Amino acid sequence: MEVYLSGEIHTDWRDQIVRGAAAKGLDVTFTSPVTDHDASDDCGVAIMGAEDQKFWHDHKGAKLNAIRTRAAIAAADVVVVRFGEKYRQWNAAFDAGYAAALGKSLVIMHGADHQHALKEVDAAALAVTETPEQVVQILDYVLNGALPG
Amino acid sequence: MEVYLSGEIHTDWRDQIVRGAAAKGLDVTFTSPVTDHDASDDCGVAIMGAEDQKFWHDHKGAKLNAIRTRAAIAAADVVVVRFGEKYRQWNAAFDAGYAAALGKSLVIMHGADHQHALKEVDAAALAVTETPEQVVQILDYVLNGALPG
Amino acid sequence: MEVYLSGEIHTDWRDQIVRGAAAKGLDVTFTSPVTDHDASDDCGVAIMGAEDQKFWHDHKGAKLNAIRTRAAIAAADVVVVRFGEKYRQWNAAFDAGYAAALGKSLVIMHGADHQHALKEVDAAALAVTETPEQVVQILDYVLNGALPG
Amino acid sequence: MEVYLSGEIHTDWRDQIVRGAAAKGLDVTFTSPVTDHDASDDCGVAIMGAEDQKFWHDHKGAKLNAIRTRAAIAAADVVVVRFGEKYRQWNAAFDAGYAAALGKSLVIMHGADHQHALKEVDAAALAVTETPEQVVQILDYVLNGALPG
Amino acid sequence: MEVYLSGEIHTDWRDQIVRGAAAKGLDVTFTSPVTDHDASDDCGVAIMGAEDQKFWHDHKGAKLNAIRTRAAIAAADVVVVRFGEKYRQWNAAFDAGYAAALGKSLVIMHGADHQHALKEVDAAALAVTETPEQVVQILDYVLNGALPG
Amino acid sequence: MEVYLSGEIHTDWRDQIVRGAAAKGLDVTFTSPVTDHDASDDCGVAIMGAEDQKFWHDHKGAKLNAIRTRAAIAAADVVVVRFGEKYRQWNAAFDAGYAAALGKSLVIMHGADHQHALKEVDAAALAVTETPEQVVQILDYVLNGALPG
Amino acid sequence: MEVYLSGEIHTDWRDQIVRGAAAKGLDVTFTSPVTDHDASDDCGVAIMGAEDQKFWHDHKGAKLNAIRTRAAIAAADVVVVRFGEKYRQWNAAFDAGYAAALGKSLVIMHGADHQHALKEVDAAALAVTETPEQVVQILDYVLNGALPG
Amino acid sequence: MEVYLSGEIHTDWRDQIVRGAAAKGLDVTFTSPVTDHDASDDCGVAIMGAEDQKFWHDHKGAKLNAIRTRAAIAAADVVVVRFGEKYRQWNAAFDAGYAAALGKSLVIMHGADHQHALKEVDAAALAVTETPEQVVQILDYVLNGALPG
């Protein structure tokens, strides 16, 4: 099973899921966007040349990142999208919508304080979680029928 | 041409576009989500019964709204998504991703202050604008080849 | 908006929805299977010749009915599926699965006693209702943003 | 060849097919839903937290199971759906409709007493069987051209 | 409902169906290939210039005819394919396969003597008939639920 | 029937086809890109603001034009692509590839001197022509079965 | 590369292609229908029980064979269809149409005497051949760029 | 990751990319058209027999090459299209349009002098480059998040 881990890049939630899945021996391949914030912002101009305008600087980078993210979403069986405490995270919501339209199984992760603001995103999901441990438990159940405890 | 107007519901940008298009006599059918904030929040429980938990209250409403919004996006040739000054607006970004995955032509509208945060959304668009007037001009050009001035 | 009314054929729930929608002046086209039980059972042999075996008698009829039902589901924006009190109603659940895989917006209608048995079907729906009046209210909201009361 | 075994979970028909296929050395990968009735019912709340309402208890579980079943149906070449003697089994009929709409090859298994009630489901199938042994023979023929006897 | 009438062009079966449908007032639009045998054979070279080789003479014509037939099959809800007594009629079987792969509802018409040779084609159909009158009755039933006398 | 006229914009071939079709009373709706060269080049910056770099000036315009051309190709039954004597015309070949991948019926128009260079494009077409009159004759045949002369 | 070998089953053309490809060391996986005529005719009743009517005897068999053939066509990159000297071979033409609608690359093989009757089938092909050796040469060229001689 | 290298065949840009990717140990499979100009031109007649007319000589070859190129584009995650200094290169632009319509990630490579003529092609791309080294850097970033330097 291929699982794409989209969204927030400032905490170690991806590592927690990857380690948790490894600890249970789950047969999962995880993919993710480039999570180095600076590399992700500057990749376009670093490879294809500088831009005077911030808009085009960002545009080149965002498109380059899209090569990676669209291929990964298209190949995924499950797309996990985490919304963190900070920033706008519109790219996370964009990924969720993109995955939903492709018929991917969506798992959303966020804290209780974002519940109302994310109601449309949650409504498109097959599971809404709060912690990486819950995502690992979901994968264990989906693959092996195993429940926690 | 069918155009879906997604996103921010607290200013009159939709009316400006509809009026501007009418003034130019453009052959466009506009669709939109339900823009009455309270109705949109409470529609699920108002019709299908109350819920104790806010999550399920919101869930019923968000799914009911999805009947309208998914049909409208699927039928649209162009999807315009406006990001305003306030709120998280994750549903707007979700709609943008959903429309992008369906291959719809995306037109994004937002102020300069949101440029960096929306770079992935802008990168999926065929036009990035700031004002309703620009959207009307785009529709006039796309339909009639007419440029402003 | 095109709405297909699938499922139980022994009560007048379709008429109630059609009359309710007409009373509100909703812009909806309703379609449905052939609801004459005998005609639906015997159509195949009546037109294409008798069969000795009940299996093939039914087979010819079921395929003939599929010409109508598949075209109607494919053309529908919304598929309403009602589960009544009697019979197995496997064709209703089949239609629900068929519509779900095509990405249609599903509205399910059933009494509380069937809640557990229909949980997988309900989980694929955008709305779960108990009465024809609720379906009419849903259509009124989806089309016009109008809430009851 | 990948074969999804959907439907009734209270007899050992899946084991019979898997053992029969192994005995013949067939090159088949079998998948199935979680067949532990209690785990399947309670998985949602066990991982994502308890619900007061039975509807939402079931809803969370049904969606979680859908992550597994939809991935398996999507990956399958052949979907076998068995209808047993007991319960409503609407999820079995739902799976059959879902698979049919995706163009999967359907093999249905049921006793003679359910023939009339399943006529629409049978009409969408490429084979209608009564026993696990027949399913194994079908797989042997489809893969190797071998007939029984 | 749009119905494409494919296959044999040397008897008046299309006229019989069109007249029969008109007599019953059925709401059907019928489409068909060009049924003038000479025009159909020579259209390519007549418009785009002569060819020395019969293969390319035929090739230009067959492709030109495909502009019409593929658009008509794609737009059709029902594809009726008739196999007559004479000629190879491979284009009829090709159309049937083409329509089947697009998920169109197939109605096949042929005499009893061709039953065995057409078994794969019949197996992909939702109805197998012998006469134009039966096709009209099928359309009447599918549209209006009406059975013959 | 909807026909998109793509490619060369410096001669009056589109007018010849439209007039020829009108003279024969053909039931065709023609669509085309914006054929005003300057408007097509400058539309992006005229509406969405000037750019210092020619690349982005062109980029904004090309994307804006894509809103029109992709909608028109998607809606077309037949895509006619003309290659003229001058310029690179890579957008014409791009449109041909785009239409081919969508399964549209392609009609190519070019002079004999471009035959070898266009062999891959011609190989994807259902008709290869040299003159607007031939295109009109093709449409007359496809719609009415009428041959010239 | 996966190649499906459809059509005539009374000569050893499939063996010639498989041996020719092996002799050149081509990286091709070949699939085919069940080519034992009697098994193919009787498989349905042999597994699922006898039928009194020849139509249903054939029907059960044809559907069972379709499980194999549709999976193979869906998985194929190239579909080779051979028309021999004898029989109607409508299933071969049906397979060709089915494969064409799925966008598969078609290679047709037949003698010169069938050229006119197969013009619509040939027009949908990317190559028209007469001998198994030519098919092997095509595969060698497509995979390795190697030409004969 | 599978990358198709389309376009110009008279310089060693493909070799530079393949060598560069190998030097970095990138996990990429590269595919390409047959790049032997004479073989590509003559393959059709070499295998399927000579033609008197240059048009059909080219036609047979172009279709044969399409078996290879369409399979490769369909299998690719990324399609790189290079436009060189010479020739019309309409097949390169055709490939770009074909890949764009399939939703493939496009990377375009050309010199600054072709910028204006390729603006529609560039507008459909996720990256526009000038050198093989940039393409290698893009692949390294997309796969590994590594930036040059």
Side-chain angles (χ1 to χ4, degrees):
Chain A
M1 179 167 271
E2 194 152 336
V3 179
Y4 182 68
L5 302 172
S6 171
E8 188 247 317
I9 61 170
H10 300 93
T11 65
D12 71 341
W13 69 278
R14 282 185 185 81
D15 286 345
Q16 291 184 50
I17 290 175
V18 172
R19 283 198 310 267
K24 289 179 186 289
L26 303 184
D27 184 16
V28 179
T29 303
F30 292 103
T31 55
S32 67
V34 171
T35 55
D36 177 327
H37 195 137
D38 290 344
S40 174
D41 271 9
D42 299 332
C43 60
V45 298
I47 296 173
M48 290 175 281
E51 293 291 334
D52 294 334
Q53 304 294 321
K54 185 70 165 78
F55 182 87
W56 298 118
H57 177 113
D58 283 347
H59 193 74
K60 280 166 115 168
K63 282 190 166 171
L64 189 43
N65 284 307
I67 297 177
R68 178 180 173 118
T69 58
R70 294 198 189 169
I73 293 176
D77 300 292
V78 175
V79 174
V80 180
V81 187
R82 174 173 157 83
F83 292 84
E85 297 308 304
K86 297 193 298 186
Y87 304 108
R88 295 285 185 167
Q89 305 180 81
W90 281 321
N91 59 330
F94 181 88
D95 279 1
Y98 194 90
L102 296 184
K104 302 295 174 182
S105 289
L106 271 182
V107 175
I108 306 297
M109 194 195 317
H110 61 79
D113 49 332
H114 285 159
Q115 180 268 317
H116 185 65
L118 282 167
K119 65 184 193 291
E120 289 87 359
V121 177
D122 287 352
L126 288 178
V128 179
T129 63
E130 296 202 27
T131 67
E133 181 60 15
Q134 287 176 316
V135 173
V136 174
Q137 290 172 347
I138 283 173
L139 296 175
D140 196 15
Y141 176 74
V142 166
L143 287 167
N144 304 319
L147 287 180
Chain B
M1 178 167 270
E2 194 152 336
V3 178
Y4 182 68
L5 303 173
S6 172
E8 187 248 317
I9 61 169
H10 299 94
T11 65
D12 70 341
W13 68 277
R14 284 185 184 83
D15 286 344
Q16 291 183 50
I17 289 175
V18 172
R19 283 198 309 268
K24 288 179 186 288
L26 303 184
D27 184 16
V28 178
T29 302
F30 292 103
T31 55
S32 67
V34 171
T35 55
D36 176 326
H37 195 138
D38 291 342
S40 173
D41 271 9
D42 300 331
C43 59
V45 297
I47 295 174
M48 290 174 282
E51 293 292 334
D52 294 334
Q53 303 295 320
K54 185 71 164 74
F55 182 86
W56 298 118
H57 177 113
D58 283 350
H59 195 73
K60 280 166 116 168
K63 281 191 166 171
L64 190 43
N65 283 307
I67 298 177
R68 177 180 174 117
T69 57
R70 294 199 188 167
I73 292 176
D77 300 291
V78 175
V79 174
V80 181
V81 187
R82 172 172 159 84
F83 293 84
E85 296 309 304
K86 298 193 297 185
Y87 305 107
R88 294 284 184 168
Q89 306 181 77
W90 281 321
N91 59 330
F94 181 88
D95 279 1
Y98 194 90
L102 296 184
K104 302 295 173 181
S105 289
L106 270 182
V107 175
I108 306 298
M109 194 194 317
H110 61 78
D113 49 332
H114 285 159
Q115 179 269 316
H116 185 64
L118 282 168
K119 66 184 192 293
E120 290 88 358
V121 177
D122 287 352
L126 289 178
V128 179
T129 63
E130 297 201 27
T131 67
E133 180 60 16
Q134 286 176 316
V135 174
V136 174
Q137 290 171 349
I138 283 173
L139 295 175
D140 196 18
Y141 177 72
V142 166
L143 287 167
N144 304 319
L147 286 180
Chain C
M1 179 167 271
E2 193 152 337
V3 178
Y4 182 67
L5 302 173
S6 171
E8 186 248 316
I9 61 171
H10 299 95
T11 64
D12 70 341
W13 69 277
R14 283 185 184 83
D15 286 344
Q16 291 183 49
I17 290 175
V18 172
R19 282 198 309 267
K24 288 179 187 289
L26 302 184
D27 184 16
V28 178
T29 303
F30 292 103
T31 55
S32 67
V34 171
T35 55
D36 176 326
H37 196 138
D38 291 343
S40 173
D41 270 8
D42 300 331
C43 60
V45 296
I47 295 173
M48 289 174 282
E51 293 292 333
D52 294 334
Q53 304 294 321
K54 185 71 165 73
F55 182 87
W56 298 118
H57 176 113
D58 283 349
H59 194 74
K60 279 166 116 168
K63 281 190 166 171
L64 190 43
N65 283 307
I67 298 177
R68 178 180 174 117
T69 58
R70 294 197 189 168
I73 293 177
D77 299 291
V78 175
V79 174
V80 180
V81 187
R82 173 172 158 84
F83 293 84
E85 297 309 304
K86 298 193 296 186
Y87 305 106
R88 293 285 184 168
Q89 306 182 77
W90 282 320
N91 58 330
F94 182 89
D95 279 2
Y98 194 91
L102 296 183
K104 302 295 173 181
S105 289
L106 270 183
V107 176
I108 306 297
M109 194 194 317
H110 62 78
D113 50 331
H114 284 159
Q115 180 269 317
H116 186 65
L118 283 167
K119 66 184 192 292
E120 289 88 359
V121 177
D122 287 352
L126 289 178
V128 179
T129 63
E130 296 201 28
T131 68
E133 180 60 16
Q134 286 176 316
V135 174
V136 174
Q137 290 172 347
I138 283 173
L139 296 174
D140 196 16
Y141 176 74
V142 166
L143 288 167
N144 304 319
L147 287 180
Chain D
M1 177 166 272
E2 194 152 336
V3 178
Y4 182 68
L5 302 173
S6 171
E8 188 248 317
I9 61 170
H10 299 95
T11 65
D12 71 341
W13 68 277
R14 284 186 184 81
D15 286 344
Q16 291 183 50
I17 290 175
V18 172
R19 283 198 309 268
K24 289 178 186 289
L26 302 184
D27 183 16
V28 178
T29 303
F30 291 102
T31 56
S32 66
V34 171
T35 55
D36 177 325
H37 195 139
D38 291 343
S40 173
D41 271 8
D42 300 331
C43 60
V45 296
I47 295 174
M48 290 175 282
E51 293 291 334
D52 294 334
Q53 304 295 321
K54 186 71 166 74
F55 182 86
W56 299 117
H57 177 113
D58 283 348
H59 194 74
K60 279 166 116 169
K63 281 190 166 172
L64 190 42
N65 284 306
I67 298 177
R68 179 180 173 116
T69 57
R70 295 200 187 167
I73 293 176
D77 300 292
V78 174
V79 174
V80 180
V81 187
R82 172 172 158 83
F83 292 84
E85 297 308 304
K86 297 193 298 185
Y87 305 107
R88 295 284 185 167
Q89 305 181 79
W90 281 320
N91 59 329
F94 181 88
D95 279 3
Y98 194 90
L102 296 183
K104 303 295 174 182
S105 289
L106 271 182
V107 175
I108 306 297
M109 194 194 318
H110 61 79
D113 48 333
H114 284 160
Q115 180 269 317
H116 185 64
L118 282 167
K119 65 184 193 291
E120 289 88 359
V121 177
D122 288 352
L126 289 178
V128 179
T129 63
E130 297 201 27
T131 68
E133 180 60 16
Q134 287 176 314
V135 174
V136 174
Q137 291 171 347
I138 283 173
L139 295 175
D140 196 16
Y141 177 74
V142 166
L143 288 167
N144 305 319
L147 287 180
Chain E
M1 177 166 273
E2 194 153 336
V3 179
Y4 182 68
L5 302 173
S6 170
E8 186 248 317
I9 61 170
H10 299 94
T11 65
D12 70 343
W13 68 278
R14 283 185 186 81
D15 287 345
Q16 291 183 49
I17 290 175
V18 172
R19 282 198 311 265
K24 287 178 188 290
L26 303 183
D27 183 17
V28 178
T29 303
F30 291 103
T31 56
S32 66
V34 171
T35 56
D36 176 326
H37 195 138
D38 291 343
S40 173
D41 270 9
D42 299 332
C43 60
V45 297
I47 295 174
M48 289 175 282
E51 293 292 333
D52 294 335
Q53 303 295 321
K54 185 69 165 72
F55 182 86
W56 297 118
H57 177 113
D58 283 348
H59 195 73
K60 280 167 115 167
K63 281 191 165 171
L64 189 43
N65 283 306
I67 297 177
R68 178 180 174 118
T69 58
R70 294 198 189 169
I73 293 176
D77 300 290
V78 175
V79 174
V80 181
V81 187
R82 173 173 158 83
F83 292 84
E85 297 308 304
K86 298 193 296 186
Y87 304 107
R88 294 285 183 168
Q89 306 181 79
W90 281 321
N91 58 331
F94 181 88
D95 279 1
Y98 194 90
L102 296 183
K104 302 295 174 181
S105 289
L106 270 182
V107 175
I108 306 297
M109 195 194 317
H110 62 78
D113 49 332
H114 285 157
Q115 180 270 318
H116 185 65
L118 283 167
K119 67 184 191 293
E120 289 89 359
V121 177
D122 287 352
L126 288 178
V128 179
T129 63
E130 296 201 28
T131 68
E133 180 59 15
Q134 287 175 315
V135 173
V136 174
Q137 290 172 347
I138 283 173
L139 295 175
D140 196 17
Y141 177 74
V142 166
L143 287 166
N144 304 319
L147 287 179
Chain F
M1 177 166 272
E2 194 152 336
V3 178
Y4 182 68
L5 302 172
S6 171
E8 186 248 317
I9 61 169
H10 299 94
T11 65
D12 70 342
W13 67 278
R14 282 184 186 83
D15 286 345
Q16 291 183 49
I17 289 175
V18 173
R19 283 199 310 267
K24 287 178 187 291
L26 302 184
D27 183 16
V28 178
T29 302
F30 292 103
T31 55
S32 67
V34 171
T35 55
D36 177 326
H37 195 138
D38 290 343
S40 173
D41 271 9
D42 299 332
C43 60
V45 297
I47 295 175
M48 289 175 282
E51 293 292 334
D52 294 335
Q53 302 295 321
K54 186 68 164 74
F55 182 86
W56 297 119
H57 176 112
D58 283 348
H59 195 73
K60 280 167 115 166
K63 281 190 166 170
L64 189 43
N65 284 307
I67 297 178
R68 177 180 175 117
T69 58
R70 293 196 189 170
I73 292 176
D77 300 290
V78 175
V79 174
V80 180
V81 187
R82 173 172 158 83
F83 293 84
E85 297 308 305
K86 298 192 296 186
Y87 304 108
R88 293 285 184 168
Q89 306 180 80
W90 281 320
N91 59 331
F94 181 88
D95 279 1
Y98 193 90
L102 296 184
K104 303 296 174 181
S105 289
L106 271 182
V107 175
I108 306 297
M109 194 194 316
H110 61 79
D113 49 333
H114 285 158
Q115 180 270 316
H116 185 64
L118 283 167
K119 66 184 191 293
E120 289 88 359
V121 177
D122 287 352
L126 288 178
V128 179
T129 62
E130 297 201 27
T131 68
E133 180 59 16
Q134 286 175 315
V135 174
V136 174
Q137 290 171 348
I138 282 173
L139 295 175
D140 196 16
Y141 176 73
V142 166
L143 288 167
N144 304 319
L147 287 180
Chain G
M1 178 166 272
E2 194 153 336
V3 178
Y4 182 67
L5 303 172
S6 171
E8 187 248 315
I9 62 170
H10 300 94
T11 66
D12 71 341
W13 68 278
R14 283 185 185 81
D15 286 344
Q16 291 184 50
I17 289 174
V18 172
R19 284 198 309 268
K24 288 178 186 290
L26 302 184
D27 183 15
V28 179
T29 303
F30 292 103
T31 55
S32 66
V34 171
T35 55
D36 177 325
H37 195 138
D38 290 343
S40 173
D41 271 8
D42 300 331
C43 60
V45 296
I47 295 173
M48 289 175 281
E51 293 292 334
D52 293 335
Q53 303 295 321
K54 186 71 164 72
F55 182 86
W56 298 118
H57 177 114
D58 283 349
H59 195 74
K60 279 167 116 169
K63 282 190 165 171
L64 190 43
N65 284 306
I67 298 177
R68 178 181 174 116
T69 57
R70 295 198 188 168
I73 293 176
D77 300 292
V78 175
V79 174
V80 180
V81 187
R82 172 172 159 83
F83 292 84
E85 297 309 304
K86 297 193 298 184
Y87 305 107
R88 294 284 183 168
Q89 305 181 81
W90 282 320
N91 59 330
F94 181 88
D95 279 2
Y98 194 90
L102 296 183
K104 303 294 173 182
S105 289
L106 271 183
V107 175
I108 306 297
M109 194 194 318
H110 61 78
D113 49 333
H114 285 160
Q115 180 269 316
H116 185 64
L118 282 167
K119 66 184 192 293
E120 289 88 359
V121 177
D122 287 353
L126 288 178
V128 180
T129 63
E130 296 200 28
T131 68
E133 181 60 17
Q134 286 176 316
V135 173
V136 174
Q137 291 171 346
I138 283 173
L139 295 175
D140 196 17
Y141 176 73
V142 166
L143 289 166
N144 305 320
L147 287 180
Chain H
M1 179 166 270
E2 194 153 335
V3 178
Y4 182 68
L5 303 172
S6 171
E8 187 247 316
I9 61 170
H10 299 94
T11 66
D12 71 341
W13 67 278
R14 282 185 185 81
D15 285 344
Q16 291 184 50
I17 290 175
V18 172
R19 283 198 310 267
K24 289 178 186 290
L26 302 184
D27 184 16
V28 178
T29 303
F30 292 104
T31 55
S32 66
V34 171
T35 55
D36 176 325
H37 195 138
D38 291 343
S40 174
D41 271 8
D42 299 332
C43 60
V45 297
I47 295 173
M48 290 175 281
E51 293 291 335
D52 294 335
Q53 303 295 320
K54 186 71 164 74
F55 182 86
W56 298 118
H57 177 113
D58 284 348
H59 194 74
K60 280 167 115 168
K63 282 190 166 170
L64 190 42
N65 283 307
I67 297 177
R68 177 180 175 118
T69 58
R70 294 196 189 170
I73 293 176
D77 300 292
V78 175
V79 174
V80 180
V81 187
R82 173 172 158 83
F83 292 84
E85 298 309 304
K86 296 193 297 185
Y87 304 108
R88 293 285 184 168
Q89 305 180 80
W90 281 321
N91 58 330
F94 181 88
D95 279 2
Y98 193 90
L102 296 183
K104 302 295 174 182
S105 288
L106 270 182
V107 175
I108 306 298
M109 194 194 317
H110 62 78
D113 49 332
H114 285 160
Q115 180 269 317
H116 185 64
L118 283 167
K119 65 183 192 295
E120 289 87 359
V121 177
D122 287 352
L126 289 178
V128 179
T129 63
E130 296 200 28
T131 68
E133 180 59 16
Q134 286 176 315
V135 173
V136 174
Q137 290 172 348
I138 283 173
L139 295 175
D140 196 16
Y141 176 73
V142 166
L143 288 167
N144 304 319
L147 287 180

